[in-house]
Amino acid sequence: MTKALLLLTGGRGIPDMLVVKYLRPDIILNLTTVQGLKAAQSLKDFVDRHFHLQMEILPTIDPYDEQGIKDACKEALQLYPKADWIIHFTS
């Protein structure tokens, strides 16, 4: 089964990088904020360069819109409905 990872990020990428390193998922989707976009791009570049994995950065979310975040997560999970999903977020 395809192993997929949904990351909810917003700043420091070290916890997210460690999850990617040890899980080695087939699919990586990153959901972030406008403020976290630069860090998400840095994480994407790092994951590609060091782990040879591809990460897709999804459209940004408002970190204060709980329903918007839930909806964005549901949409992300529906992109690969047959995948075995892991969701990782830091706070």
Side-chain angles (χ1 to χ4, degrees), residues 15 59-60 70 90-91:
T60 58
K70 289 177 182 178
T90 55
S91 58

Side-chain angles (χ1 to χ4, degrees), residues 2-34:
T2 301
K3 185 171 29 173
L5 174 64
L6 176 60
L7 298 171
L8 281 76
T9 65
R12 294 176 283 184
I14 290 175
D16 306 306
M17 179 273 301
L18 291 172
V19 169
V20 171
K21 178 180 179 180
Y22 290 105
L23 293 178
R24 309 285 300 179
D26 303 302
I27 298 165
I28 307 169
L29 302 180
N30 189 340
L31 190 57
T32 191
T33 63
V34 170

Side-chain angles (χ1 to χ4, degrees), residues 74-86:
K74 286 178 187 176
E75 289 174 22
L77 297 174
Q78 290 173 358
L79 291 173
Y80 302 94
K82 294 185 179 186
D84 185 19
W85 280 98
I86 298 167

Side-chain angles (χ1 to χ4, degrees), residues 16-89:
D16 306 306
M17 179 273 301
L18 291 172
V19 169
V20 171
K21 178 180 179 180
Y22 290 105
L23 293 178
R24 309 285 300 179
D26 303 302
I27 298 165
I28 307 169
L29 302 180
N30 189 340
L31 190 57
T32 191
T33 63
V34 170
Q35 299 87 346
L37 203 50
K38 185 175 179 180
Q41 185 60 52
S42 294
L43 178 62
K44 179 182 188 312
D45 295 342
F46 184 89
V47 164
D48 179 41
R49 189 171 46 253
H50 293 280
F51 307 135
H52 309 290
L53 298 170
Q54 299 300 309
M55 183 178 83
E56 179 182 349
I57 300 173
L58 300 173
T60 58
I61 55 165
D62 177 346
Y64 302 105
D65 179 6
E66 182 181 350
Q67 189 58 51
I69 295 167
K70 289 177 182 178
D71 292 342
C73 288
K74 286 178 187 176
E75 289 174 22
L77 297 174
Q78 290 173 358
L79 291 173
Y80 302 94
K82 294 185 179 186
D84 185 19
W85 280 98
I86 298 167
I87 300 174
H88 174 73
F89 65 93

